[in-house]
Amino acid sequence: MSHSLSQPARRTASSRHGLFAAVCLAALALAGCQSRGGGIGDITGSIGQAPTQPRSQAEWASESSKWGKRYEANQKDRNAAFYYARALRAQRQHAQALAILQNAVLTFGDDKEMLGAYGRSLADNGRLKEADEVLGRAHSPERPDWRILSAQGTVADQLGEHPRAQQLYETALKLAPGEPTIMSNLGLSLALSRHLPEAERVLREAASSNRSDARVRQNLVLVLGLQGRFTEAEELARQDQSPAEAAATVAYLKRSVSQPNSWDMLKSGGRNKPAPAKQAAPLQQGASQG
């Protein structure tokens, strides 16, 4: 990707690749995500009276410190492991979160919520086949979980299995009709399948929900850009970015879609994470919210 580029040139190349990665996987990285932390899907659900999920990085750091101390005191403490790993994932400390969850599932192997968190963490770390298998065990046909289904969809999309991913999202929508995070993931999956008008329709419906957020709009900006509708894309981007940032985002999209490998870039996923200007809080969906 970089050959023998200078440092500034490497940064520019990475930035060009990064917007597609960051914007196109905004939903996939959240898996229908309600978590504002980042990573594949969120770690939702609770045991007892779980605290509301923090939003800012400072709040996540505080959560990490609190639950980390409790976990160090007793690594068999189920909630300590679960919420400490959640805070670590939100801060993109994916390897450390995975180590904690890997250990936790040895003790709490029948805990569906823990399995769901473990599956998302595996996906965060690029272990997609393992993530797919674990997420499949994180709920049952008798008690399906739309968040897990959405997380499974994001993993299937990253494996290039877009028809299966779309089936998973459609099943999740039967359990949670109109859920914008699922619809955002579905819209992005349709875009990855090059069904752009349908992707736009789904994303517009998701964006119209009063429960949607900037990440849904970011995906719609991408789909508009892929269709060459840059004026509309820039107007929408301005809802969450300054005029200068929105213009830079759209200028990047123009350059990217003119490249012969633009669809390969779209499908490459979030391996290069640099984001343009000031992004809204990162999506898992997941998430997998879900």
Side-chain angles (χ1 to χ4, degrees), residues 62-88:
S62 176
E63 283 282 292
S64 178
S65 176
K66 178 180 76 174
W67 289 107
K69 290 174 183 175
R70 182 164 155 179
Y71 179 75
E72 288 172 10
N74 178 12
Q75 295 190 5
K76 299 297 184 184
D77 182 328
R78 185 267 180 208
N79 278 9
F82 184 86
Y83 292 116
Y84 184 32
R86 183 183 72 174
L88 290 169

mmCIF file with all atom_site columns, all heavy atoms in Angstrom, residues 62-88:
data_model
loop_
_atom_site.group_PDB
_atom_site.id
_atom_site.type_symbol
_atom_site.label_atom_id
_atom_site.label_alt_id
_atom_site.label_comp_id
_atom_site.label_asym_id
_atom_site.label_entity_id
_atom_site.label_seq_id
_atom_site.pdbx_PDB_ins_code
_atom_site.Cartn_x
_atom_site.Cartn_y
_atom_site.Cartn_z
_atom_site.occupancy
_atom_site.B_iso_or_equiv
_atom_site.pdbx_formal_charge
_atom_site.auth_seq_id
_atom_site.auth_comp_id
_atom_site.auth_asym_id
_atom_site.auth_atom_id
_atom_site.pdbx_PDB_model_num
ATOM 1   N N   . SER A 1 62 ? -13.024 5.832   33.299 1.00 0.00 ? 62 SER A N   1
ATOM 2   C CA  . SER A 1 62 ? -13.431 5.686   34.695 1.00 0.00 ? 62 SER A CA  1
ATOM 3   C C   . SER A 1 62 ? -14.034 4.302   34.938 1.00 0.00 ? 62 SER A C   1
ATOM 4   O O   . SER A 1 62 ? -13.752 3.653   35.948 1.00 0.00 ? 62 SER A O   1
ATOM 5   C CB  . SER A 1 62 ? -14.450 6.781   35.048 1.00 0.00 ? 62 SER A CB  1
ATOM 6   O OG  . SER A 1 62 ? -14.941 6.606   36.360 1.00 0.00 ? 62 SER A OG  1
ATOM 7   N N   . GLU A 1 63 ? -14.880 3.847   33.992 1.00 0.00 ? 63 GLU A N   1
ATOM 8   C CA  . GLU A 1 63 ? -15.451 2.503   34.093 1.00 0.00 ? 63 GLU A CA  1
ATOM 9   C C   . GLU A 1 63 ? -14.357 1.441   34.102 1.00 0.00 ? 63 GLU A C   1
ATOM 10  O O   . GLU A 1 63 ? -14.398 0.488   34.877 1.00 0.00 ? 63 GLU A O   1
ATOM 11  C CB  . GLU A 1 63 ? -16.380 2.249   32.897 1.00 0.00 ? 63 GLU A CB  1
ATOM 12  C CG  . GLU A 1 63 ? -17.717 2.915   32.981 1.00 0.00 ? 63 GLU A CG  1
ATOM 13  C CD  . GLU A 1 63 ? -18.658 2.169   33.909 1.00 0.00 ? 63 GLU A CD  1
ATOM 14  O OE1 . GLU A 1 63 ? -19.073 1.046   33.580 1.00 0.00 ? 63 GLU A OE1 1
ATOM 15  O OE2 . GLU A 1 63 ? -18.952 2.716   34.980 1.00 0.00 ? 63 GLU A OE2 1
ATOM 16  N N   . SER A 1 64 ? -13.384 1.615   33.227 1.00 0.00 ? 64 SER A N   1
ATOM 17  C CA  . SER A 1 64 ? -12.288 0.661   33.134 1.00 0.00 ? 64 SER A CA  1
ATOM 18  C C   . SER A 1 64 ? -11.527 0.569   34.440 1.00 0.00 ? 64 SER A C   1
ATOM 19  O O   . SER A 1 64 ? -11.190 -0.524  34.921 1.00 0.00 ? 64 SER A O   1
ATOM 20  C CB  . SER A 1 64 ? -11.349 1.069   31.993 1.00 0.00 ? 64 SER A CB  1
ATOM 21  O OG  . SER A 1 64 ? -10.258 0.190   31.901 1.00 0.00 ? 64 SER A OG  1
ATOM 22  N N   . SER A 1 65 ? -11.263 1.718   35.049 1.00 0.00 ? 65 SER A N   1
ATOM 23  C CA  . SER A 1 65 ? -10.536 1.734   36.319 1.00 0.00 ? 65 SER A CA  1
ATOM 24  C C   . SER A 1 65 ? -11.344 1.049   37.418 1.00 0.00 ? 65 SER A C   1
ATOM 25  O O   . SER A 1 65 ? -10.817 0.219   38.173 1.00 0.00 ? 65 SER A O   1
ATOM 26  C CB  . SER A 1 65 ? -10.216 3.179   36.702 1.00 0.00 ? 65 SER A CB  1
ATOM 27  O OG  . SER A 1 65 ? -9.602  3.232   37.966 1.00 0.00 ? 65 SER A OG  1
ATOM 28  N N   . LYS A 1 66 ? -12.627 1.380   37.496 1.00 0.00 ? 66 LYS A N   1
ATOM 29  C CA  . LYS A 1 66 ? -13.484 0.823   38.550 1.00 0.00 ? 66 LYS A CA  1
ATOM 30  C C   . LYS A 1 66 ? -13.598 -0.698  38.435 1.00 0.00 ? 66 LYS A C   1
ATOM 31  O O   . LYS A 1 66 ? -13.339 -1.432  39.397 1.00 0.00 ? 66 LYS A O   1
ATOM 32  C CB  . LYS A 1 66 ? -14.877 1.459   38.470 1.00 0.00 ? 66 LYS A CB  1
ATOM 33  C CG  . LYS A 1 66 ? -15.867 0.905   39.485 1.00 0.00 ? 66 LYS A CG  1
ATOM 34  C CD  . LYS A 1 66 ? -17.224 1.566   39.366 1.00 0.00 ? 66 LYS A CD  1
ATOM 35  C CE  . LYS A 1 66 ? -17.992 1.057   38.177 1.00 0.00 ? 66 LYS A CE  1
ATOM 36  N NZ  . LYS A 1 66 ? -19.380 1.598   38.122 1.00 0.00 ? 66 LYS A NZ  1
ATOM 37  N N   . TRP A 1 67 ? -13.979 -1.172  37.235 1.00 0.00 ? 67 TRP A N   1
ATOM 38  C CA  . TRP A 1 67 ? -14.176 -2.605  37.072 1.00 0.00 ? 67 TRP A CA  1
ATOM 39  C C   . TRP A 1 67 ? -12.848 -3.360  37.028 1.00 0.00 ? 67 TRP A C   1
ATOM 40  O O   . TRP A 1 67 ? -12.775 -4.524  37.424 1.00 0.00 ? 67 TRP A O   1
ATOM 41  C CB  . TRP A 1 67 ? -14.988 -2.886  35.811 1.00 0.00 ? 67 TRP A CB  1
ATOM 42  C CG  . TRP A 1 67 ? -16.419 -2.472  35.944 1.00 0.00 ? 67 TRP A CG  1
ATOM 43  C CD1 . TRP A 1 67 ? -17.020 -1.396  35.356 1.00 0.00 ? 67 TRP A CD1 1
ATOM 44  C CD2 . TRP A 1 67 ? -17.433 -3.112  36.729 1.00 0.00 ? 67 TRP A CD2 1
ATOM 45  N NE1 . TRP A 1 67 ? -18.347 -1.331  35.716 1.00 0.00 ? 67 TRP A NE1 1
ATOM 46  C CE2 . TRP A 1 67 ? -18.625 -2.371  36.556 1.00 0.00 ? 67 TRP A CE2 1
ATOM 47  C CE3 . TRP A 1 67 ? -17.453 -4.236  37.547 1.00 0.00 ? 67 TRP A CE3 1
ATOM 48  C CZ2 . TRP A 1 67 ? -19.824 -2.724  37.180 1.00 0.00 ? 67 TRP A CZ2 1
ATOM 49  C CZ3 . TRP A 1 67 ? -18.646 -4.589  38.176 1.00 0.00 ? 67 TRP A CZ3 1
ATOM 50  C CH2 . TRP A 1 67 ? -19.811 -3.837  37.994 1.00 0.00 ? 67 TRP A CH2 1
ATOM 51  N N   . GLY A 1 68 ? -11.790 -2.689  36.577 1.00 0.00 ? 68 GLY A N   1
ATOM 52  C CA  . GLY A 1 68 ? -10.484 -3.322  36.550 1.00 0.00 ? 68 GLY A CA  1
ATOM 53  C C   . GLY A 1 68 ? -9.996  -3.677  37.944 1.00 0.00 ? 68 GLY A C   1
ATOM 54  O O   . GLY A 1 68 ? -9.442  -4.759  38.167 1.00 0.00 ? 68 GLY A O   1
ATOM 55  N N   . LYS A 1 69 ? -10.198 -2.763  38.884 1.00 0.00 ? 69 LYS A N   1
ATOM 56  C CA  . LYS A 1 69 ? -9.797  -3.037  40.267 1.00 0.00 ? 69 LYS A CA  1
ATOM 57  C C   . LYS A 1 69 ? -10.581 -4.209  40.838 1.00 0.00 ? 69 LYS A C   1
ATOM 58  O O   . LYS A 1 69 ? -10.029 -5.078  41.531 1.00 0.00 ? 69 LYS A O   1
ATOM 59  C CB  . LYS A 1 69 ? -10.008 -1.791  41.123 1.00 0.00 ? 69 LYS A CB  1
ATOM 60  C CG  . LYS A 1 69 ? -9.032  -0.657  40.812 1.00 0.00 ? 69 LYS A CG  1
ATOM 61  C CD  . LYS A 1 69 ? -9.383  0.601   41.586 1.00 0.00 ? 69 LYS A CD  1
ATOM 62  C CE  . LYS A 1 69 ? -8.452  1.753   41.203 1.00 0.00 ? 69 LYS A CE  1
ATOM 63  N NZ  . LYS A 1 69 ? -8.852  3.030   41.862 1.00 0.00 ? 69 LYS A NZ  1
ATOM 64  N N   . ARG A 1 70 ? -11.872 -4.235  40.534 1.00 0.00 ? 70 ARG A N   1
ATOM 65  C CA  . ARG A 1 70 ? -12.709 -5.332  41.044 1.00 0.00 ? 70 ARG A CA  1
ATOM 66  C C   . ARG A 1 70 ? -12.295 -6.653  40.392 1.00 0.00 ? 70 ARG A C   1
ATOM 67  O O   . ARG A 1 70 ? -12.274 -7.695  41.064 1.00 0.00 ? 70 ARG A O   1
ATOM 68  C CB  . ARG A 1 70 ? -14.176 -5.009  40.757 1.00 0.00 ? 70 ARG A CB  1
ATOM 69  C CG  . ARG A 1 70 ? -15.146 -6.035  41.277 1.00 0.00 ? 70 ARG A CG  1
ATOM 70  C CD  . ARG A 1 70 ? -16.554 -5.471  41.308 1.00 0.00 ? 70 ARG A CD  1
ATOM 71  N NE  . ARG A 1 70 ? -17.542 -6.533  41.218 1.00 0.00 ? 70 ARG A NE  1
ATOM 72  C CZ  . ARG A 1 70 ? -18.848 -6.347  41.246 1.00 0.00 ? 70 ARG A CZ  1
ATOM 73  N NH1 . ARG A 1 70 ? -19.329 -5.107  41.361 1.00 0.00 ? 70 ARG A NH1 1
ATOM 74  N NH2 . ARG A 1 70 ? -19.689 -7.353  41.150 1.00 0.00 ? 70 ARG A NH2 1
ATOM 75  N N   . TYR A 1 71 ? -11.951 -6.604  39.107 1.00 0.00 ? 71 TYR A N   1
ATOM 76  C CA  . TYR A 1 71 ? -11.533 -7.819  38.409 1.00 0.00 ? 71 TYR A CA  1
ATOM 77  C C   . TYR A 1 71 ? -10.207 -8.335  38.955 1.00 0.00 ? 71 TYR A C   1
ATOM 78  O O   . TYR A 1 71 ? -10.032 -9.550  39.145 1.00 0.00 ? 71 TYR A O   1
ATOM 79  C CB  . TYR A 1 71 ? -11.418 -7.534  36.914 1.00 0.00 ? 71 TYR A CB  1
ATOM 80  C CG  . TYR A 1 71 ? -10.959 -8.724  36.103 1.00 0.00 ? 71 TYR A CG  1
ATOM 81  C CD1 . TYR A 1 71 ? -11.825 -9.780  35.830 1.00 0.00 ? 71 TYR A CD1 1
ATOM 82  C CD2 . TYR A 1 71 ? -9.652  -8.794  35.617 1.00 0.00 ? 71 TYR A CD2 1
ATOM 83  C CE1 . TYR A 1 71 ? -11.415 -10.874 35.081 1.00 0.00 ? 71 TYR A CE1 1
ATOM 84  C CE2 . TYR A 1 71 ? -9.226  -9.892  34.876 1.00 0.00 ? 71 TYR A CE2 1
ATOM 85  C CZ  . TYR A 1 71 ? -10.114 -10.937 34.611 1.00 0.00 ? 71 TYR A CZ  1
ATOM 86  O OH  . TYR A 1 71 ? -9.687  -12.023 33.891 1.00 0.00 ? 71 TYR A OH  1
ATOM 87  N N   . GLU A 1 72 ? -9.276  -7.441  39.219 1.00 0.00 ? 72 GLU A N   1
ATOM 88  C CA  . GLU A 1 72 ? -7.977  -7.845  39.769 1.00 0.00 ? 72 GLU A CA  1
ATOM 89  C C   . GLU A 1 72 ? -8.140  -8.496  41.134 1.00 0.00 ? 72 GLU A C   1
ATOM 90  O O   . GLU A 1 72 ? -7.400  -9.412  41.497 1.00 0.00 ? 72 GLU A O   1
ATOM 91  C CB  . GLU A 1 72 ? -7.054  -6.635  39.866 1.00 0.00 ? 72 GLU A CB  1
ATOM 92  C CG  . GLU A 1 72 ? -6.557  -6.149  38.495 1.00 0.00 ? 72 GLU A CG  1
ATOM 93  C CD  . GLU A 1 72 ? -5.811  -4.833  38.590 1.00 0.00 ? 72 GLU A CD  1
ATOM 94  O OE1 . GLU A 1 72 ? -5.514  -4.399  39.727 1.00 0.00 ? 72 GLU A OE1 1
ATOM 95  O OE2 . GLU A 1 72 ? -5.546  -4.231  37.531 1.00 0.00 ? 72 GLU A OE2 1
ATOM 96  N N   . ALA A 1 73 ? -9.140  -8.041  41.882 1.00 0.00 ? 73 ALA A N   1
ATOM 97  C CA  . ALA A 1 73 ? -9.387  -8.616  43.201 1.00 0.00 ? 73 ALA A CA  1
ATOM 98  C C   . ALA A 1 73 ? -9.985  -10.011 43.107 1.00 0.00 ? 73 ALA A C   1
ATOM 99  O O   . ALA A 1 73 ? -9.762  -10.859 43.984 1.00 0.00 ? 73 ALA A O   1
ATOM 100 C CB  . ALA A 1 73 ? -10.316 -7.700  44.003 1.00 0.00 ? 73 ALA A CB  1
ATOM 101 N N   . ASN A 1 74 ? -10.744 -10.270 42.035 1.00 0.00 ? 74 ASN A N   1
ATOM 102 C CA  . ASN A 1 74 ? -11.387 -11.580 41.896 1.00 0.00 ? 74 ASN A CA  1
ATOM 103 C C   . ASN A 1 74 ? -11.716 -11.823 40.434 1.00 0.00 ? 74 ASN A C   1
ATOM 104 O O   . ASN A 1 74 ? -12.712 -11.330 39.911 1.00 0.00 ? 74 ASN A O   1
ATOM 105 C CB  . ASN A 1 74 ? -12.669 -11.633 42.738 1.00 0.00 ? 74 ASN A CB  1
ATOM 106 C CG  . ASN A 1 74 ? -13.394 -12.972 42.575 1.00 0.00 ? 74 ASN A CG  1
ATOM 107 O OD1 . ASN A 1 74 ? -12.845 -13.930 42.029 1.00 0.00 ? 74 ASN A OD1 1
ATOM 108 N ND2 . ASN A 1 74 ? -14.637 -13.031 43.037 1.00 0.00 ? 74 ASN A ND2 1
ATOM 109 N N   . GLN A 1 75 ? -10.890 -12.603 39.768 1.00 0.00 ? 75 GLN A N   1
ATOM 110 C CA  . GLN A 1 75 ? -11.094 -12.852 38.348 1.00 0.00 ? 75 GLN A CA  1
ATOM 111 C C   . GLN A 1 75 ? -12.257 -13.795 38.072 1.00 0.00 ? 75 GLN A C   1
ATOM 112 O O   . GLN A 1 75 ? -12.624 -14.004 36.910 1.00 0.00 ? 75 GLN A O   1
ATOM 113 C CB  . GLN A 1 75 ? -9.807  -13.400 37.719 1.00 0.00 ? 75 GLN A CB  1
ATOM 114 C CG  . GLN A 1 75 ? -8.671  -12.393 37.746 1.00 0.00 ? 75 GLN A CG  1
ATOM 115 C CD  . GLN A 1 75 ? -7.471  -12.830 36.919 1.00 0.00 ? 75 GLN A CD  1
ATOM 116 O OE1 . GLN A 1 75 ? -7.501  -13.858 36.234 1.00 0.00 ? 75 GLN A OE1 1
ATOM 117 N NE2 . GLN A 1 75 ? -6.408  -12.053 36.981 1.00 0.00 ? 75 GLN A NE2 1
ATOM 118 N N   . LYS A 1 76 ? -12.860 -14.359 39.124 1.00 0.00 ? 76 LYS A N   1
ATOM 119 C CA  . LYS A 1 76 ? -14.045 -15.188 38.965 1.00 0.00 ? 76 LYS A CA  1
ATOM 120 C C   . LYS A 1 76 ? -15.321 -14.375 39.130 1.00 0.00 ? 76 LYS A C   1
ATOM 121 O O   . LYS A 1 76 ? -16.432 -14.928 39.080 1.00 0.00 ? 76 LYS A O   1
ATOM 122 C CB  . LYS A 1 76 ? -14.041 -16.327 39.987 1.00 0.00 ? 76 LYS A CB  1
ATOM 123 C CG  . LYS A 1 76 ? -12.854 -17.272 39.869 1.00 0.00 ? 76 LYS A CG  1
ATOM 124 C CD  . LYS A 1 76 ? -12.826 -18.006 38.539 1.00 0.00 ? 76 LYS A CD  1
ATOM 125 C CE  . LYS A 1 76 ? -11.681 -19.020 38.481 1.00 0.00 ? 76 LYS A CE  1
ATOM 126 N NZ  . LYS A 1 76 ? -11.593 -19.677 37.159 1.00 0.00 ? 76 LYS A NZ  1
ATOM 127 N N   . ASP A 1 77 ? -15.191 -13.072 39.338 1.00 0.00 ? 77 ASP A N   1
ATOM 128 C CA  . ASP A 1 77 ? -16.339 -12.182 39.477 1.00 0.00 ? 77 ASP A CA  1
ATOM 129 C C   . ASP A 1 77 ? -16.918 -11.956 38.076 1.00 0.00 ? 77 ASP A C   1
ATOM 130 O O   . ASP A 1 77 ? -16.316 -11.291 37.241 1.00 0.00 ? 77 ASP A O   1
ATOM 131 C CB  . ASP A 1 77 ? -15.884 -10.856 40.099 1.00 0.00 ? 77 ASP A CB  1
ATOM 132 C CG  . ASP A 1 77 ? -17.020 -9.879  40.336 1.00 0.00 ? 77 ASP A CG  1
ATOM 133 O OD1 . ASP A 1 77 ? -17.999 -9.874  39.554 1.00 0.00 ? 77 ASP A OD1 1
ATOM 134 O OD2 . ASP A 1 77 ? -16.922 -9.081  41.295 1.00 0.00 ? 77 ASP A OD2 1
ATOM 135 N N   . ARG A 1 78 ? -18.085 -12.512 37.823 1.00 0.00 ? 78 ARG A N   1
ATOM 136 C CA  . ARG A 1 78 ? -18.672 -12.476 36.493 1.00 0.00 ? 78 ARG A CA  1
ATOM 137 C C   . ARG A 1 78 ? -18.877 -11.046 35.992 1.00 0.00 ? 78 ARG A C   1
ATOM 138 O O   . ARG A 1 78 ? -18.508 -10.702 34.868 1.00 0.00 ? 78 ARG A O   1
ATOM 139 C CB  . ARG A 1 78 ? -20.003 -13.231 36.517 1.00 0.00 ? 78 ARG A CB  1
ATOM 140 C CG  . ARG A 1 78 ? -20.674 -13.370 35.143 1.00 0.00 ? 78 ARG A CG  1
ATOM 141 C CD  . ARG A 1 78 ? -21.657 -12.249 34.886 1.00 0.00 ? 78 ARG A CD  1
ATOM 142 N NE  . ARG A 1 78 ? -22.281 -12.415 33.571 1.00 0.00 ? 78 ARG A NE  1
ATOM 143 C CZ  . ARG A 1 78 ? -22.738 -11.429 32.842 1.00 0.00 ? 78 ARG A CZ  1
ATOM 144 N NH1 . ARG A 1 78 ? -22.637 -10.186 33.255 1.00 0.00 ? 78 ARG A NH1 1
ATOM 145 N NH2 . ARG A 1 78 ? -23.307 -11.653 31.662 1.00 0.00 ? 78 ARG A NH2 1
ATOM 146 N N   . ASN A 1 79 ? -19.514 -10.220 36.799 1.00 0.00 ? 79 ASN A N   1
ATOM 147 C CA  . ASN A 1 79 ? -19.798 -8.853  36.363 1.00 0.00 ? 79 ASN A CA  1
ATOM 148 C C   . ASN A 1 79 ? -18.529 -8.044  36.171 1.00 0.00 ? 79 ASN A C   1
ATOM 149 O O   . ASN A 1 79 ? -18.445 -7.209  35.263 1.00 0.00 ? 79 ASN A O   1
ATOM 150 C CB  . ASN A 1 79 ? -20.714 -8.151  37.365 1.00 0.00 ? 79 ASN A CB  1
ATOM 151 C CG  . ASN A 1 79 ? -22.173 -8.518  37.146 1.00 0.00 ? 79 ASN A CG  1
ATOM 152 O OD1 . ASN A 1 79 ? -22.483 -9.417  36.360 1.00 0.00 ? 79 ASN A OD1 1
ATOM 153 N ND2 . ASN A 1 79 ? -23.060 -7.839  37.844 1.00 0.00 ? 79 ASN A ND2 1
ATOM 154 N N   . ALA A 1 80 ? -17.548 -8.266  37.014 1.00 0.00 ? 80 ALA A N   1
ATOM 155 C CA  . ALA A 1 80 ? -16.286 -7.531  36.870 1.00 0.00 ? 80 ALA A CA  1
ATOM 156 C C   . ALA A 1 80 ? -15.641 -7.848  35.523 1.00 0.00 ? 80 ALA A C   1
ATOM 157 O O   . ALA A 1 80 ? -15.197 -6.945  34.806 1.00 0.00 ? 80 ALA A O   1
ATOM 158 C CB  . ALA A 1 80 ? -15.344 -7.874  38.015 1.00 0.00 ? 80 ALA A CB  1
ATOM 159 N N   . ALA A 1 81 ? -15.610 -9.125  35.165 1.00 0.00 ? 81 ALA A N   1
ATOM 160 C CA  . ALA A 1 81 ? -15.021 -9.514  33.883 1.00 0.00 ? 81 ALA A CA  1
ATOM 161 C C   . ALA A 1 81 ? -15.812 -8.916  32.726 1.00 0.00 ? 81 ALA A C   1
ATOM 162 O O   . ALA A 1 81 ? -15.244 -8.362  31.773 1.00 0.00 ? 81 ALA A O   1
ATOM 163 C CB  . ALA A 1 81 ? -14.974 -11.039 33.763 1.00 0.00 ? 81 ALA A CB  1
ATOM 164 N N   . PHE A 1 82 ? -17.122 -9.013  32.807 1.00 0.00 ? 82 PHE A N   1
ATOM 165 C CA  . PHE A 1 82 ? -17.980 -8.555  31.718 1.00 0.00 ? 82 PHE A CA  1
ATOM 166 C C   . PHE A 1 82 ? -17.844 -7.050  31.487 1.00 0.00 ? 82 PHE A C   1
ATOM 167 O O   . PHE A 1 82 ? -17.613 -6.595  30.368 1.00 0.00 ? 82 PHE A O   1
ATOM 168 C CB  . PHE A 1 82 ? -19.435 -8.918  32.038 1.00 0.00 ? 82 PHE A CB  1
ATOM 169 C CG  . PHE A 1 82 ? -20.404 -8.577  30.945 1.00 0.00 ? 82 PHE A CG  1
ATOM 170 C CD1 . PHE A 1 82 ? -20.642 -9.466  29.907 1.00 0.00 ? 82 PHE A CD1 1
ATOM 171 C CD2 . PHE A 1 82 ? -21.092 -7.376  30.946 1.00 0.00 ? 82 PHE A CD2 1
ATOM 172 C CE1 . PHE A 1 82 ? -21.535 -9.166  28.897 1.00 0.00 ? 82 PHE A CE1 1
ATOM 173 C CE2 . PHE A 1 82 ? -21.978 -7.058  29.935 1.00 0.00 ? 82 PHE A CE2 1
ATOM 174 C CZ  . PHE A 1 82 ? -22.209 -7.958  28.908 1.00 0.00 ? 82 PHE A CZ  1
ATOM 175 N N   . TYR A 1 83 ? -17.983 -6.281  32.563 1.00 0.00 ? 83 TYR A N   1
ATOM 176 C CA  . TYR A 1 83 ? -17.987 -4.819  32.402 1.00 0.00 ? 83 TYR A CA  1
ATOM 177 C C   . TYR A 1 83 ? -16.588 -4.249  32.223 1.00 0.00 ? 83 TYR A C   1
ATOM 178 O O   . TYR A 1 83 ? -16.416 -3.209  31.569 1.00 0.00 ? 83 TYR A O   1
ATOM 179 C CB  . TYR A 1 83 ? -18.708 -4.158  33.582 1.00 0.00 ? 83 TYR A CB  1
ATOM 180 C CG  . TYR A 1 83 ? -20.186 -4.463  33.572 1.00 0.00 ? 83 TYR A CG  1
ATOM 181 C CD1 . TYR A 1 83 ? -20.778 -5.205  34.595 1.00 0.00 ? 83 TYR A CD1 1
ATOM 182 C CD2 . TYR A 1 83 ? -20.988 -4.043  32.514 1.00 0.00 ? 83 TYR A CD2 1
ATOM 183 C CE1 . TYR A 1 83 ? -22.130 -5.501  34.565 1.00 0.00 ? 83 TYR A CE1 1
ATOM 184 C CE2 . TYR A 1 83 ? -22.333 -4.348  32.478 1.00 0.00 ? 83 TYR A CE2 1
ATOM 185 C CZ  . TYR A 1 83 ? -22.905 -5.070  33.504 1.00 0.00 ? 83 TYR A CZ  1
ATOM 186 O OH  . TYR A 1 83 ? -24.244 -5.380  33.468 1.00 0.00 ? 83 TYR A OH  1
ATOM 187 N N   . TYR A 1 84 ? -15.592 -4.910  32.759 1.00 0.00 ? 84 TYR A N   1
ATOM 188 C CA  . TYR A 1 84 ? -14.212 -4.469  32.513 1.00 0.00 ? 84 TYR A CA  1
ATOM 189 C C   . TYR A 1 84 ? -13.876 -4.666  31.033 1.00 0.00 ? 84 TYR A C   1
ATOM 190 O O   . TYR A 1 84 ? -13.328 -3.763  30.367 1.00 0.00 ? 84 TYR A O   1
ATOM 191 C CB  . TYR A 1 84 ? -13.255 -5.260  33.399 1.00 0.00 ? 84 TYR A CB  1
ATOM 192 C CG  . TYR A 1 84 ? -11.802 -4.838  33.318 1.00 0.00 ? 84 TYR A CG  1
ATOM 193 C CD1 . TYR A 1 84 ? -11.430 -3.514  33.071 1.00 0.00 ? 84 TYR A CD1 1
ATOM 194 C CD2 . TYR A 1 84 ? -10.784 -5.780  33.505 1.00 0.00 ? 84 TYR A CD2 1
ATOM 195 C CE1 . TYR A 1 84 ? -10.092 -3.139  33.011 1.00 0.00 ? 84 TYR A CE1 1
ATOM 196 C CE2 . TYR A 1 84 ? -9.440  -5.409  33.448 1.00 0.00 ? 84 TYR A CE2 1
ATOM 197 C CZ  . TYR A 1 84 ? -9.104  -4.100  33.197 1.00 0.00 ? 84 TYR A CZ  1
ATOM 198 O OH  . TYR A 1 84 ? -7.782  -3.727  33.137 1.00 0.00 ? 84 TYR A OH  1
ATOM 199 N N   . ALA A 1 85 ? -14.236 -5.822  30.487 1.00 0.00 ? 85 ALA A N   1
ATOM 200 C CA  . ALA A 1 85 ? -13.983 -6.076  29.066 1.00 0.00 ? 85 ALA A CA  1
ATOM 201 C C   . ALA A 1 85 ? -14.763 -5.098  28.202 1.00 0.00 ? 85 ALA A C   1
ATOM 202 O O   . ALA A 1 85 ? -14.253 -4.604  27.181 1.00 0.00 ? 85 ALA A O   1
ATOM 203 C CB  . ALA A 1 85 ? -14.360 -7.518  28.715 1.00 0.00 ? 85 ALA A CB  1
ATOM 204 N N   . ARG A 1 86 ? -15.987 -4.797  28.600 1.00 0.00 ? 86 ARG A N   1
ATOM 205 C CA  . ARG A 1 86 ? -16.785 -3.832  27.833 1.00 0.00 ? 86 ARG A CA  1
ATOM 206 C C   . ARG A 1 86 ? -16.092 -2.478  27.778 1.00 0.00 ? 86 ARG A C   1
ATOM 207 O O   . ARG A 1 86 ? -16.005 -1.839  26.714 1.00 0.00 ? 86 ARG A O   1
ATOM 208 C CB  . ARG A 1 86 ? -18.179 -3.674  28.455 1.00 0.00 ? 86 ARG A CB  1
ATOM 209 C CG  . ARG A 1 86 ? -19.087 -2.740  27.681 1.00 0.00 ? 86 ARG A CG  1
ATOM 210 C CD  . ARG A 1 86 ? -20.424 -2.534  28.355 1.00 0.00 ? 86 ARG A CD  1
ATOM 211 N NE  . ARG A 1 86 ? -20.309 -1.704  29.547 1.00 0.00 ? 86 ARG A NE  1
ATOM 212 C CZ  . ARG A 1 86 ? -21.354 -1.269  30.260 1.00 0.00 ? 86 ARG A CZ  1
ATOM 213 N NH1 . ARG A 1 86 ? -22.574 -1.632  29.905 1.00 0.00 ? 86 ARG A NH1 1
ATOM 214 N NH2 . ARG A 1 86 ? -21.185 -0.529  31.328 1.00 0.00 ? 86 ARG A NH2 1
ATOM 215 N N   . ALA A 1 87 ? -15.584 -2.021  28.910 1.00 0.00 ? 87 ALA A N   1
ATOM 216 C CA  . ALA A 1 87 ? -14.896 -0.725  28.956 1.00 0.00 ? 87 ALA A CA  1
ATOM 217 C C   . ALA A 1 87 ? -13.610 -0.755  28.128 1.00 0.00 ? 87 ALA A C   1
ATOM 218 O O   . ALA A 1 87 ? -13.268 0.217   27.455 1.00 0.00 ? 87 ALA A O   1
ATOM 219 C CB  . ALA A 1 87 ? -14.599 -0.346  30.398 1.00 0.00 ? 87 ALA A CB  1
ATOM 220 N N   . LEU A 1 88 ? -12.902 -1.863  28.174 1.00 0.00 ? 88 LEU A N   1
ATOM 221 C CA  . LEU A 1 88 ? -11.674 -1.980  27.387 1.00 0.00 ? 88 LEU A CA  1
ATOM 222 C C   . LEU A 1 88 ? -11.986 -1.950  25.892 1.00 0.00 ? 88 LEU A C   1
ATOM 223 O O   . LEU A 1 88 ? -11.282 -1.310  25.104 1.00 0.00 ? 88 LEU A O   1
ATOM 224 C CB  . LEU A 1 88 ? -10.931 -3.273  27.741 1.00 0.00 ? 88 LEU A CB  1
ATOM 225 C CG  . LEU A 1 88 ? -10.290 -3.309  29.136 1.00 0.00 ? 88 LEU A CG  1
ATOM 226 C CD1 . LEU A 1 88 ? -9.823  -4.722  29.455 1.00 0.00 ? 88 LEU A CD1 1
ATOM 227 C CD2 . LEU A 1 88 ? -9.121  -2.328  29.228 1.00 0.00 ? 88 LEU A CD2 1
#
